[in-house]
Amino acid sequence: MNFASDNVTGAAPDILQAIVDANEGNLPSYGADPLTARMQQRLCQMFERDVAVFPVATGTAANALALSVLSPPWGTVFCHADSHIYTDECGAPELMTQGARLQPLPGPHGKLTPEVLAAALAEAPVGFVHGMQPAALSLTQATEAGTCYTVAEVAALTALARQHRLRVHMDGARFANAIAHLGCSPADVTWKAGVDILSLGATKNGALCAEAVIFFDPALAVDFGYRRKRAAQLFSKMRFVSAQFDAWLTDDRWLTLARHANAMAARLAAGLQALPGLRLRDPVEANELFLRMPDQVTDGLLAAGFQFYRWEGDVVRMVTAWNTSASDVDHLIQAAAELTKIT
Ligand SMILES: Cc1ncc(COP(=O)(O)O)c(C=O)c1O
């Protein structure tokens, strides 16, 4: 049973069907098709303003390309020490920015705080020709610890960023899960809270392969078409990616799928934290759980075929997804309960 990742799931049936439907006939290539136009419209509605949308293949591509707009090669990008851009992108942001430096910062539960950012900025060698120059802040929403920045937290960080002339990127690989938790509008926690560019991911939340770079200030996007092409991220048969976003956005499917994943995580957390010796490391706000678990439980669950990751020390990571079933969750809780009884 999969609790390893929201990437090992298939695509949601309605999204897969949208790809099949998009297969009909010949359509203009490279994004000049009607499905791409409709996706753009839907994203403008979702964010309550004109946005410039650039689909790409992966979250890494979205992040690295977004940062290449926000930072010069001599810039510093401040991010959380656990951020995907810092730990899991094999230097793609450094490559695409042609040399910008990611500066990892600490913060509880996967979140940066204004205090930590202010301390880093105070040390930055602004105007010193030998030093890297502060250029951008990158926040992950939902975070790599399965928590979510509130609107006020995002706004406080971006206000500080602005004071120091930093641009702001948001890695939204699990943006839908964050909105499902926060209950705010997508606009509230992005451009209205000071975010310049969002990497919007649908892949983990029911799509087959659909990620996009969303610009809230279209003026920033003027050259982006060339950047994307140069990075080999311009799909010729764009309609198949657009069809996924289109179906994802129809009837708030993105929220329904994310709400389900989050609800399964909450159910799992409630069941597991009630067991002796098991403790959540972080609040469970989206679709990931990090919890401290005795070895006998971890070993027993893995041996029984439950899939999840050992993280660090006695911490394990479990992830739920749009297709996680309540009965799988209950099975895992039941099995863990049995294992805690073994002496
Ligand atoms: C926080 C975060 N950002 C971005 C990504 C995108 O990764 P990929 O390049 O594998 O699509 C992931 C995937 O694991 C992620 O967890």
Side-chain angles (χ1 to χ4, degrees):
M1 279 174 221
N2 169 48
F3 292 93
S5 169
D6 39 12
N7 274 333
V8 308
T9 63
D14 292 323
I15 297 179
L16 207 52
Q17 186 57 48
I19 299 173
V20 173
D21 296 345
N23 198 41
E24 197 56 38
N26 302 319
L27 284 176
S29 52
Y30 296 106
D33 61 281
L35 266 170
T36 299
R38 199 161 77 198
M39 169 201 67
Q40 300 249 1
Q41 259 174 21
R42 285 199 199 278
L43 284 163
C44 292
Q45 278 162 12
M46 176 180 181
F47 288 102
E48 303 169 42
R49 64 173 292 158
D50 270 349
V51 290
V53 180
F54 295 84
V56 293
T58 66
T60 298
N63 287 341
L65 280 169
L67 291 171
S68 77
V69 176
L70 300 182
S71 177
W74 54 89
T76 298
V77 177
F78 298 96
C79 58
H80 195 279
D82 295 335
S83 64
H84 198 267
I85 58 168
Y86 185 65
T87 62
D88 282 303
E89 299 192 351
C90 197
E94 290 89 334
L95 176 73
M96 296 291 177
T97 56
Q98 298 182 26
R101 181 180 292 163
L102 303 189
Q103 185 165 332
L105 301 175
H109 306 307
K111 293 188 196 179
L112 295 176
T113 60
E115 293 71 28
V116 162
L117 179 61
L121 286 164
E123 299 277 298
V126 179
F128 180 57
V129 74
H130 306 284
M132 301 292 283
Q133 298 301 300
L137 168 68
S138 180
L139 305 174
T140 311
Q141 180 77 308
T143 72
E144 285 81 1
T147 55
C148 301
Y149 286 98
T150 63
V151 173
E153 285 170 338
V154 173
L157 282 159
T158 64
L160 180 61
R162 291 269 172 266
Q163 279 167 28
H164 292 264
R165 304 216 303 232
L166 305 183
R167 296 284 203 166
V168 182
H169 165 248
M170 181 172 274
D171 175 353
R174 296 190 179 86
F175 186 73
N177 302 92
I179 297 296
H181 169 73
L182 294 168
C184 65
S185 78
D188 286 342
V189 79
T190 55
W191 62 274
K192 287 188 181 173
V195 174
D196 294 301
I197 304 184
L198 170 72
S199 300
L200 178 64
T203 308
K204 293 176 190 300
N205 187 36
L208 185 150
C209 158
E211 307 285 321
V213 183
I214 312 275
F215 287 79
F216 299 112
D217 174 5
L220 262 183
V222 281
D223 293 330
F224 195 75
Y226 308 111
R227 274 187 201 274
R228 178 178 59 174
K229 176 68 186 182
R230 207 170 149 83
Q233 289 291 321
L234 175 62
F235 291 96
S236 53
K237 297 189 179 179
M238 181 87 82
R239 62 168 137 157
F240 292 111
V241 181
S242 305
Q244 294 174 65
F245 269 118
D246 189 47
W248 195 65
L249 294 164
T250 301
D251 297 333
D252 282 344
R253 190 167 283 122
W254 61 283
L255 262 182
T256 307
L257 295 169
R259 282 187 184 130
H260 175 82
N262 288 9
M264 291 301 103
R267 186 179 181 117
L268 191 56
L272 291 179
Q273 72 175 343
L275 300 177
L278 277 70
R279 252 180 322 121
L280 291 174
R281 189 194 70 179
D282 308 291
V284 176
E285 296 177 344
N287 65 322
E288 291 187 286
L289 281 83
F290 293 84
L291 78 161
R292 300 191 182 285
M293 206 152 82
D295 278 346
Q296 76 190 43
V297 182
T298 303
D299 293 343
L301 288 175
L302 290 170
F306 294 99
Q307 289 153 17
F308 57 90
Y309 283 102
R310 286 182 191 279
W311 215 241
E312 49 196 13
D314 61 346
V315 176
V316 300
R317 185 189 82 163
M318 294 182 184
V319 184
T320 54
W322 64 272
N323 66 349
T324 303
S325 71
S327 69
D328 279 4
V329 169
D330 295 345
H331 272 121
L332 191 149
I333 296 167
Q334 183 59 37
E338 294 301 326
L339 287 159
T340 59
K341 291 180 195 151
I342 298 169
T343 48

